């Protein structure tokens, strides 16, 4: 996608388009110095006119909003769950997820596309012989969900999402294990049964995303 | 607890102590003006020496960290899930949760104690005849959980929490419905079975918290 | 390019790619209220990995750097030079220029592509009958230049640019009049003769850009 | 008061309650490195609803206000006046003063309570043998004063304080020497005679506070 | 001094030079709207190379330091003590005190010179007939003091000031009443006797400053 | 001008007065460490009442505006164009330009006066034997220009400047070579002919400034 990044991926899920790049640095944050462990972190941003109404640029507002901070922490934590940090060695990979066009589900697209960028950057390191054993032991992908018009549904687009009283995100591995479950209700509640139903749908959805990741990497 | 606030509560869960106050204002945020709807919001802070090692004061750092922002958004969303905003009317209640001493589970203690402060402030409004129909239709309480030493456990204290690869929080109503489920793994994953087991434990734990809330309010 | 913006354009000049969007608002800045005059302004940003080495995200740094501020003021001033603000009427168009990939000359690409986005947004307004007389009385395009290895050259790419002791930018109208001339030397100087030679080259270069703008708008 | 701090004290003066904690660090600010001298510093904050009307949280405002900065500089300077920094050795003690409930005189309560927290932290160091000679050579305590309804009075509560045209603070040692005198008039003036009278009252007031400090430390 | 300001004064006390300007605005801060009362406020700054070693510019540091905030609050409070805010009427005068060259005592020079600028601005208002009754009922001037080498001394220059264990400032009216007394000890203490002696010296010093103010205003 | 700075100059061009100081530090920015090269940089500020209407102090606004940043980058770049950074050696000179009174052309006055301060500071270094070969190989001076009432004119004062549709600045060496050309039109355009005419005028104007610089340095 971009000639400079060690790995990159433009993911499109419906009308949501996110550019994900992976940048490698041969240094780690201070708390990891001399531990032999690597680090994977993420940053997230939206272009001002990625949305229906222009948003204020966070750089000119002078800080990242609470939503941005939450999302980039989620992306980083999710990707790290699939990384063997000993095998990665003392280096850092920063995954930037920049939303070019938004129509719901940007955080899940960022995780899924971010993993592809990370995979490509790691492949480069392995090809160059800088890493011997593969630090990515499984795929990581994510899908959004919600209860919309009384029905559990996956992959809400923006109009559905903004009307759903309950919405959430499931981050899973290629092997079907859970990394992160976030379900939240705004002015509403949900039952264990509804949650189980969504979880079942999500397992199927993630399987499809993992297949798409494989295709993208082999590309 | 404090003579100024419309409602207040000092919650102690183990060695975690959080001072929760509810402040009433007869105005709402701009997006709610002239809608007839009320608002409940929350802010969260930790005293610098609430922890084993002194933390830098966020006011002197010049901004709230990502963790603080995440937590206060969670508290606000959780409390709102139990509020009938039409019945509340066009007024705002801000719940401040300030951690005096921390030993794990501060966000869950904040939600549980914050609800008591909110309840007391609303009681005052009802007694004064400013509100006719009770806007709090159910209790809201929260409990932390994790997989520690291979075992699902509730209510982790700090040493357990920092070693748990998987940790989470369940926010529920008095009636046992779910408001928020957050489970996340840092460098680890978990199965649906483990999640179900935790959910079962949480249902019992929350029942106990709701009983304690009742005692506190009547107290 | 993007489904939300009133006008948009992805300009590629060599390996420099800039996404330009034009956003319309039916309000003007306070200093123009009730004057009947419109406003065109611009913002500029670079994606963190648009460059060879990842740059710190300005939103997380907490402010826009001096270079960013300079560039976005230049873009806005340049575009306004081709706008009849009476004909535009009391509305504002914000042109966002976000660099996806950088290889020199990003400010000139932003002006040239930004004009296309602006043109498309204005066309929309005219089609809808919101504007009667065309407020864009001429094309605006820009080209970078420098003295490289003793030779005046146009359109430096990054390796040339960073070695040029003298570099500059010419912003011109379709009719060949000047809007902005910026030539600056870092640890060097230049003669009137060298400047004239560059100006001659620039006139030819801008003519080519204007032709490309026409093709893009009609496209 | 709190299990984590090296020393702590919850001081109540009338309806003013301040939690003071002393935190020890085995390092000093850069300007004291390798001088053999220690440092005592202070930070001050008010919980948002410590006051009659909720105040904006300084952490969310993004900076400490002028009043906060003034007060914490005063507390630090006052406590240092009673410390032998050679005997303390190259270590730093930070005294945090957080106002839980405010009703006038919070800066004086912070100094008086802060000294108790400092005393307890130093006692711990001496017990552990880390310090041989006691660095606290005298008590430090403070009392607020004002001219209220034409009468010099000590220890104003909030309604008195906000009506006093002249108000001030005296910081003294246990031995009755002065550390800090701050008297200021807002839209008013005062005579030398009034000042002398207040000083006489303050000497008696501080004697009482010192007795209370002794009881608290031995307590 | 400067052609734009309503009143201005360049005060030199020893090697300390401060440019004071008074700026008039026909509006008051929100808390005074429709009260009929005026406001006088002050801001203080030091040019980066007003001192022996260049200081970082506060505008580039992104905030005013604690010392700056303290000083400008003191200047404003002091000047207001000599102002009849009813007679001033609903307008604001901002006194800017910018230190061109510093050699101790800048806050006292700012108050003394600031009063002259204020006087000149008020004279202009009176001459124009915008104010009938003089709102400045007395002079306001200030002098710094300290205990240096065991001796109470007035008007310390920088080398003396930085070695004085006790230093302070007295702000007084032309009639000899006190407006502000600030005495503080850093790592030292002082007796009532020493304080009295300083106060006696200050009374004489201020009388001289008031004479100089008269000369400047008539000048 | 000021007793502390290594070099200083108060330049008056019409009613524009700028205080320029040069501060020497025996260290360079990180990117120049161990390169043997020196650095010259500049900062710019306006006193709040240097203008007809009081401006907000940038230190209290919490950041330098875009105009300030642009100007100080221009001053630094211009001065560096006349400096042999090898001859300067690994040290930094910071030129502060503070506008005491403004009436148009402050950036040009800052460059011209800043060069004098720089010259004086370098002279001091050479006299002390810290520098052998003169690092300032030519004068640097600047003049503002514009097309006012259809006529190219130099050295606009503020009323002219704010009405000129085209305005610019020429920075030149004593030898007549160009360092920086900035011409910009706001809502207007200009021809090559107009530009040439201005350039001719500027050459004459700069010659006069260089003569004045010589007089000032020889003082």
């Amino acid at each position: 996608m971009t000639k400079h990044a060690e790995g990159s991926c433009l993911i499109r899920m419906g009308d949501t388009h996110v550019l994900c790049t992976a940048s490698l640095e041969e240094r780690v944050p201070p708390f990891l110095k001399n531990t032999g462990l690597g680090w994977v972190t993420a940053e997230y941003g939206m272009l001002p006119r990625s949305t229906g109404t222009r948003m204020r640029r966070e750089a000119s507002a002078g800080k990242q909003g609470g939503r941005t901070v939450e999302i980039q922490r989620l992306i980083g934590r999710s990707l790290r769950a699939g990384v063997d940090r000993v095998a990665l060695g003392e280096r850092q990979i920063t995954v930037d997820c920049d939303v070019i066009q938004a129509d719901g589900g940007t955080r899940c697209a960022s995780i899924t596309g971010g993993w592809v960028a990370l995979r490509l950057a790691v492949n480069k390191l392995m090809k160059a012989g800088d890493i011997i054993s593969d630090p990515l032991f499984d795929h990581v992908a994510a899908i959004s969900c919600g209860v919309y018009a009384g029905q559990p549904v996956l992959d809400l687009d923006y109009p559905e999402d903004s009307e759903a009283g309950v919405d959430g995100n499931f981050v899973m591995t290629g092997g079907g294990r859970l990394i992160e479950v976030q379900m939240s209700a705004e002015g509403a509640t949900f039952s264990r049964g509804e949650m189980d139903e969504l979880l079942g749908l999500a397992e199927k959805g993630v399987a499809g995303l993992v297949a798409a990741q494989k295709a993208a990497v082999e590309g």
Side-chain angles (χ1 to χ4, degrees), chain A:
Chain A
M1 271 296 101
T2 72
K3 72 167 191 173
H4 298 301
E6 280 73 29
S8 69
C9 165
L10 175 61
I11 185 169
R12 297 172 205 236
M13 294 186 69
D15 272 345
T16 290
H17 304 176
V18 184
L19 179 62
C20 306
T21 59
S23 297
L24 174 74
E25 285 172 298
E26 291 294 330
R27 53 174 200 77
V28 285
F31 67 93
L32 287 178
K33 256 194 188 150
N34 302 320
T35 60
L37 296 172
W39 190 243
V40 171
T41 186
E43 296 203 8
Y44 171 92
M46 298 183 83
L47 294 192
R49 197 53 196 280
S50 56
T51 45
T53 306
R54 185 177 182 273
M55 302 187 319
R56 190 169 177 200
R57 200 175 277 270
E58 289 189 322
S60 91
K63 63 170 184 169
Q64 296 181 307
R67 181 185 166 276
T68 295
V69 170
E70 258 187 56
I71 292 178
Q72 65 194 11
R73 284 160 59 100
L74 167 65
I75 301 170
R77 215 161 52 221
S78 296
L79 293 176
R80 279 194 298 276
V83 174
D84 175 345
R85 288 162 54 207
V86 176
L88 179 56
E90 238 180 271
R91 48 176 63 86
Q92 169 167 304
I93 299 178
T94 302
V95 176
D96 284 289
C97 302
D98 284 276
V99 180
I100 304 294
Q101 188 176 279
D103 190 39
T106 63
R107 76 189 72 190
C108 290
S110 295
I111 292 168
T112 307
W115 187 87
V116 173
L118 176 63
R119 175 75 271 176
L120 292 171
V122 168
N123 285 356
K124 213 171 189 175
L125 277 169
M126 294 185 71
K127 217 182 215 160
D130 293 329
I131 290 182
I132 311 297
S133 145
D134 187 358
L136 302 188
F137 49 78
D138 204 345
H139 285 243
V140 173
I143 203 152
S144 69
C145 62
V147 177
Y148 177 66
Q151 275 312 101
V153 265
L154 280 193
D155 219 356
L156 301 174
D157 60 21
Y158 180 71
E160 290 166 352
D161 191 10
S162 51
E163 281 189 31
V166 175
D167 77 302
N169 302 287
F170 297 100
V171 188
M172 296 188 187
T173 65
R177 288 182 64 88
L178 293 156
I179 291 173
E180 183 109 10
V181 173
Q182 288 189 337
M183 297 208 54
S184 65
E186 178 80 44
T189 58
F190 54 101
S191 67
R192 260 184 94 157
E194 286 168 317
M195 185 174 167
D196 280 340
E197 210 175 329
L198 275 167
L199 207 39
L201 281 173
E203 283 171 347
K204 278 172 213 146
V206 165
L209 293 173
V210 168
Q213 286 178 328
K214 280 181 184 154
V217 171
E218 279 152 23

